[in-house]
Amino acid sequence: MKKIQNTDKKPILLKVSLLQPTSVTTAIVPLQPQEEKIISERERLITQVERINQMAEELEAAILELKAIANTLNTQKRYPVLNQEAYKNICQYFAVSVPWVKRKPDESFVLTTRRVDLFRAEREAALLAQQLRQQTKKRLASQRHRKNKNGAKADTKCLFKKVLVNKS
């Protein structure tokens, strides 16, 4: 006999025998993956992929912000001391990559890395500056051409007036 305490603190006596076999009337159902569970696991996988890629984008933005802050500090440091030798940069940069999950055409995934382009902003700024310089040169050239064209007409009119005045 085994005593079991219930919530009222009164002992309950049960007859328990470990030697007597009990009969089983139902069979154990073999384990089979349920369709709903597979779908939910696939959704969890896709959610995790999106989360990893979102975190990678945030990490890339944080890295680029670190670089911008370091560049600001470098420029602020150099201005007051123009006569002294230049300070070395406050931050060095090596190749950097962040984790990235790619989806293949067969709907499977590959965990890989994506390179962070630390100097893209500088290249884009240099390209924009070059384009603006070219536009300014073209505009100045066209203004000079118009001015020369108008100036030549004015000079010709003045020349004709002088010739006519001198002949009379």
Side-chain angles (χ1 to χ4, degrees):
M1 296 285 222
K2 185 177 181 183
K3 292 183 180 181
I4 299 176
Q5 298 285 335
N6 71 359
T7 57
D8 295 342
K9 305 282 184 193
K10 294 179 185 174
I12 299 174
L13 299 175
L14 294 175
K15 198 173 199 181
V16 177
S17 172
L18 298 175
L19 301 175
Q20 295 177 350
T22 57
S23 61
V24 177
T25 57
T26 58
I28 297 175
V29 180
L31 292 176
Q32 295 177 351
Q34 297 174 352
E35 185 96 14
E36 294 172 3
K37 194 170 188 175
I38 291 173
I39 291 172
S40 68
E41 289 298 314
R42 176 108 177 129
E43 288 171 355
R44 280 185 58 215
L45 176 70
I46 291 169
T47 302
Q48 193 66 12
V49 165
E50 292 169 353
R51 182 171 174 240
I52 289 169
N53 289 346
Q54 176 65 33
M55 290 173 75
E57 288 173 357
E58 290 172 10
L59 181 58
E60 182 176 356
I63 291 168
L64 294 173
E65 186 176 350
L66 168 95
K67 185 175 179 291
I69 294 168
N71 287 344
T72 301
L73 285 173
N74 283 336
T75 56
Q76 288 175 352
K77 231 179 188 183
R78 289 186 180 149
Y79 281 122
V81 287
L82 292 175
N83 296 336
Q84 296 178 5
E85 65 181 76
Y87 285 97
K88 70 177 191 175
N89 286 336
I90 198 164
C91 191
Q92 292 181 334
Y93 307 102
F94 296 107
V96 178
S97 60
V98 293
W100 192 256
V101 182
K102 291 183 181 178
R103 184 180 284 196
K104 292 171 50 177
D106 66 350
E107 297 298 312
S108 63
F109 298 95
V110 177
L111 179 62
T112 183
T113 58
R114 187 180 74 185
R115 186 174 166 265
V116 176
D117 189 356
L118 293 171
F119 299 98
R120 185 180 79 208
E122 286 87 347
R123 280 196 312 277
E124 288 175 355
L127 180 63
L128 179 61
Q130 182 181 10
Q131 290 172 345
L132 291 173
R133 280 192 293 273
Q134 289 174 348
Q135 288 176 358
T136 303
K137 284 181 184 178
K138 286 179 185 177
R139 195 176 327 118
L140 290 174
S142 68
Q143 287 174 354
R144 276 191 227 121
H145 179 68
R146 272 188 262 132
K147 187 177 181 181
N148 288 341
K149 197 174 182 181
N150 292 338
K153 286 182 183 178
D155 289 344
T156 307
K157 286 180 184 178
C158 288
L159 185 61
F160 282 134
K161 284 181 184 178
K162 287 180 183 179
V163 171
L164 291 175
V165 171
N166 287 342
K167 286 189 177 180
S168 2

